[in-house]
């Protein structure tokens, strides 16, 4: 492993660990970045579901993904409610799509639609039940753990570029008891640490558009 790759690997591991242990306190940094990557992936997968375009296989797919990522990131930066809804919705989308593909369905319009519906339900429940703080803690712990696993898988060199784009974390957790155990232990520990550390800490909701 070259020095540059080693530095990138260590940086990615530190980012993942920071999210696991302090995701709620880092929310103002994390949300716009997460919004971009979620929007980017959703845009590319929407083209795949609607028109059968391979995931990031064309310039159009990259452009649509980038534009949607930029829009979602911008709104996540401007509005706290949108940011939390996107965060909760991204977990719902991943669970909906992941469950159906784990059952053997190929990604297509039906799987995409179920993912969207579950995303909307998750986002609505988090906002209606006013559990934003706890949702953020759980989701950042899960996402941070996923980043750690992804980085370890990528740095091992055992995955092709296509596999790295297609959610190797889910595949690793499904196919390996040890990766699943690692995921549960690290994410669970992160949730407990964040709950204790943020017991008396509340993020103030923001509307940066109104402040302009």
């Amino acid at each position: 492993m070259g020095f540059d790759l080693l530095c990138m690997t260590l940086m990615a591991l530190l980012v993942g660990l920071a999210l696991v242990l302090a995701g709620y306190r880092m929310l103002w940094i994390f949300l716009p970045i997460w919004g971009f990557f979620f929007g980017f992936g959703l845009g590319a997968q929407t083209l795949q579901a609607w028109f059968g375009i391979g995931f990031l296989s064309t310039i159009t797919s990259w452009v649509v993904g980038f534009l949607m990522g930029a829009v979602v990131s911008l709104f996540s930066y401007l509005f706290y409610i949108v940011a939390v809804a996107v965060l909760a919705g991204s977990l719902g989308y991943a669970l909906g799509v992941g469950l159906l593909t784990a059952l053997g369905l190929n990604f297509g319009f039906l799987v995409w639609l179920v993912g969207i519906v579950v995303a909307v339900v998750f986002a609505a429940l988090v906002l209606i039940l006013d559990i934003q703080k706890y949702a953020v803690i759980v989701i950042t712990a899960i996402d941070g753990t996923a980043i750690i696993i992804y980085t370890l898988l990528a740095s091992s060199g055992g995955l092709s570029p296509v596999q790295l784009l297609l959610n190797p974390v889910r595949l690793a957790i499904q196919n390996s008891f040890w990766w699943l155990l690692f995921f549960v232990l690290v994410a669970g520990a992160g949730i407990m640490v964040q709950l204790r550390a943020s017991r008396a800490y509340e993020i103030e909701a923001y509307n940066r558009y109104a402040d302009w």
Side-chain angles (χ1 to χ4, degrees), residues 37 42 51 66 121-122 134 139 156 162 171 177 185 204 206:
F37 283 106
L42 181 62
F51 305 108
F66 182 84
V121 170
F122 267 53
Y134 303 104
I139 295 170
S156 69
V162 174
L171 295 176
F177 168 78
L185 290 178
E204 184 178 352
Y206 58 80

Side-chain angles (χ1 to χ4, degrees), residues 91-176:
L91 177 62
Y93 180 82
L95 289 176
V97 171
L99 178 61
L100 291 184
T101 53
L103 292 175
L105 293 178
N106 293 323
F107 184 83
F109 182 79
L110 176 61
V111 173
W112 172 88
L113 181 61
V114 170
I116 293 295
V117 171
V118 178
V120 172
V121 170
F122 267 53
L125 286 176
V126 167
L127 297 178
I128 292 172
L129 298 177
D130 194 24
I131 55 173
Q132 294 96 322
K133 177 179 181 177
Y134 303 104
V136 169
I137 288 175
V138 171
I139 295 170
T140 54
I142 291 174
D143 289 341
T145 305
I147 290 173
I148 293 173
I149 295 177
Y150 181 93
T151 303
L152 294 175
L153 291 172
S155 62
S156 69
L159 297 172
S160 68
V162 174
Q163 288 175 313
L164 289 174
L165 290 172
L166 293 178
N167 199 345
V169 175
R170 178 174 60 81
L171 295 176
I173 292 173
Q174 284 179 347
N175 298 325
S176 170

Side-chain angles (χ1 to χ4, degrees), residues 35-45 55-56 61-62 65-66 68-69:
F36 174 79
F37 283 106
F38 173 65
F40 181 86
L42 181 62
Q45 285 194 332
F55 183 73
L56 298 179
S61 182
W62 281 88
F66 182 84
M68 182 171 289

Side-chain angles (χ1 to χ4, degrees), residues 8-86:
M8 292 177 61
T9 299
L10 291 176
M11 186 177 298
L13 289 175
L14 288 174
V15 169
L17 187 61
L19 283 176
V20 170
L21 300 177
Y24 182 67
R25 289 179 175 271
M26 294 176 57
L27 192 64
W28 63 279
I29 299 175
F30 170 67
L31 280 176
I33 298 173
W34 181 253
F36 174 79
F37 283 106
F38 173 65
F40 181 86
L42 181 62
Q45 285 194 332
T46 298
L47 286 184
Q48 181 182 0
W50 286 18
F51 305 108
I53 298 175
F55 183 73
L56 298 179
S57 63
T58 65
I59 297 297
T60 301
S61 182
W62 281 88
V63 170
V64 170
F66 182 84
L67 291 176
M68 182 171 289
V71 170
V72 174
S73 178
L74 175 62
F75 276 87
S76 295
Y77 173 78
L78 292 176
F79 306 105
Y80 172 79
I81 293 298
V82 173
V84 174
V86 168

Side-chain angles (χ1 to χ4, degrees), residues 159-207:
L159 297 172
S160 68
V162 174
Q163 288 175 313
L164 289 174
L165 290 172
L166 293 178
N167 199 345
V169 175
R170 178 174 60 81
L171 295 176
I173 292 173
Q174 284 179 347
N175 298 325
S176 170
F177 168 78
W178 297 111
W179 278 125
L180 176 60
L181 181 63
F182 179 88
F183 183 88
V184 171
L185 290 178
V186 174
I191 292 170
M192 295 303 297
V193 169
Q194 288 200 59
L195 284 173
R196 290 178 63 88
S198 303
R199 187 176 302 167
Y201 177 76
E202 294 285 343
I203 292 178
E204 184 178 352
Y206 58 80
N207 181 345

